Amino acid sequence: MRLKISLLKEPKHQELVSCVGWTTAEELYSCSDDHQIVKWNLLTGETSQIVKLPDDIYPIDLHWFPKSLGIKKQTQAEIFVLTSSDGKFHLISKLGRVEKSVEAHSGAVLAGRWNYEGTALVTVGEDGQIKIWSKTGMLRSTLAHQGTPVYSVAWGPDSEKVLYTAGKQLIIKPLQPNAKILQWKAHDGIILKVDWNSVNDLILSAGEDCKYKVWDSYGRPLYSSQPHEHPITSVAWAPDGELFAVGSFHTLRLCDKTGWSYALEKPNTGSIFNIAWSVDGTQIAGACGNGHVVFAHVVEQRWEWKNFQVTLTKRRTMQVRNVLNDAVDLLEFRDRVIKASLNYAHLVVSTSLQCYVFSTKNWNTPLIFDLKEGTVSLILQAERHFLLVDGGGIYLHSYEGRFLSSPKFPGMRTDILNAQTVSLSNDTIAIKDKADEKIIFLFEASTGKPMGDGKFLSHKNEVLEIALDQKGLTNDRKIAFIDKNRDLYITSVKRFGKEEQIIKLGTMVHTLAWSDTCNILCGLQDTRFTVWYYPNTVYVDRDILPKTLYERDASEFSKNPHIVSFVGNQVTIRRADGSLVHISISPYPAILHEYVSSSKWEDAVRLCRFVKEQTMWACLAAMAVANQDMTTAEIAYAAIGEIDKVQYINSIKNLPSKESKMAHILMFSGNIQEAEIVLLQAGLVYQAIQININLYNWERALELAVKYKTHVDTVLAYRQKFLETFGKQETNKRYLQYAEGLQIDWEKIKAKIEMEITKERERSSGSQPTKSTGLKH
């Protein structure tokens, strides 16, 4: 990826340009020390003077009123705030009329910023004050008073906090009075510029110590650049939070959100005092010290999938290369390319007005449809369909271009969604809530309606990253997520009535990805790269989970690596320095998944015997129990030396009825409640009581006996025997109540139990049909 620079031969301004701001993707306003505000039209290349300020007023900063969310993309910002050296800020209309001038600070007003909703304005000045104003220019509060000039300010993603500079310090101050202030030393020189992105919640700072730095919102350092030759005078996030730009003397840099540099350009600009990204995130404009306005287009973005490589060569042209036969196709677009995604044998490209869907089998005839709303900020793909996110909503389309659904939930803000907070599979859409970060909303892909009984998924901690598995049946769909403590959890997506278990899979997990071909999960765990070959093992037999993992040392990936993709058995990881590392994992677990999904158990056993790896046998054991194939489970458990489990499986085989077998298989996986339901639905009340006695669930055993008016004496007898073994006296009031005046006759109880077993045998071998359990496992 690099920047394509365009710079006029002669500058349009006579003095240094202090700031720039985009109204649309093709129109920019710039203001300069020559007191002029100039409008640039990038389509026609024309410039026109909008307003000439009085000679004693020097403009310092301008910021356009944010476009309200969910309106057509052609709707432009209509008013901007201009801060100036005379201590005032001015609200100026698009046509150049000064609507209002407000006395704000003593000394120059160094920066002014609207919040994301456009409901408030913050200004900072040479007098060290930070002030909050209403959108009409009425003073709401003086947030803080510093002893030194405040050079830059930025709003937090929720518009509830303000970040500002104080010499070498950065300060985050919430708007609520008495809330905790966060302050830290960020640079060794005066900090000149800050920016805070609403999508990734990361902070940029630039200072006179010639460095730029990336921080998280707790003030923890994530990246610090090498010292440059000159002070860094400007930094700015791209709207989607994936890139940022850095400006210095004769220098313009394009960087990844983790800090490493994609491209370094050396235009003849003097110092770049201010950088602004266009709304669609495809180009930047810089305010230059020599009167120029520099424009730079982001080109040469690259997308890879299997043997295809797609490169954006110009703003309207893509080149597709098939590395197998070196065939090259050129794709021409009517408008500028904004976003693209290549996966599942399809390339999806969004331009400023349309969406193009190409199949990797045919690059000549794309499917084209018009976009409903403005700029697409995210494209996600699954095997059957893809998702477009823009300022107005979330839209699901099939690869034939058919609109499928548009999920919605209260307080939805699509402008801050990214690939970590939205996930898509063939039947499910998962979205992390920004208002309450412990909540994940789950929607049916085909209808856009809430999943299951409409309940959202709620976790005890804030969730950082979510990912849905891609294969298998909707009923088995799982979601994996990483929370604030860096713990990895997995849970079921379908939620009906009963509370689904959220089970921990790993700790210190930084990044995760599901395979696109089968439900294998990989993640970077502290200093290890871990692959969970069959994550469902946690629902079947948690004891053998460690045996189903593949682990290798990950120290070669350095600090903060990120998993880019997991295609087939190839995992691509991006290191902190930007380089890509490819890891191949064993192809056998994927083949095992395939055999099991088509119930080819004999082939699965044959494969495990051929590979001779414990991980394969452990996966097969868990898969067999999950699919209730106990013969295969017995072979697999024997192969990994789990003799006690082999014996238990053998005892299950000898049970008289289908329902008893089913119940004991459920118990094997720890689903005691479900096992009990199966037996009760089949009318096997004694067996339901017996499993509770065996597990020492005395309260429940007695409850069932009393409810069904049978075997109360059996329960009391076993309870008495249990207490005698430990030399204890009965203290439970319910047991004392029912035991009163009851003589325990073991001979009679044994005869009753024998009768129950005989009855069950006759029932299962007899002609009467067995009752349906109503349970799918």
Side-chain angles (χ1 to χ4, degrees), residues 393-409:
I394 298 169
Y395 311 99
L396 191 73
H397 294 268
S398 71
Y399 287 115
E400 290 75 49
R402 198 171 72 251
F403 172 72
L404 299 174
S405 66
S406 178
K408 289 180 175 61
F409 57 87

Side-chain angles (χ1 to χ4, degrees), residues 712 716 730 732-744:
V712 178
L716 292 167
E730 183 63 81
N732 188 307
K733 282 180 185 171
R734 288 202 71 192
Y735 272 93
L736 288 167
Q737 177 194 334
Y738 285 103
E740 213 173 308
L742 187 78
Q743 287 295 317
I744 301 246

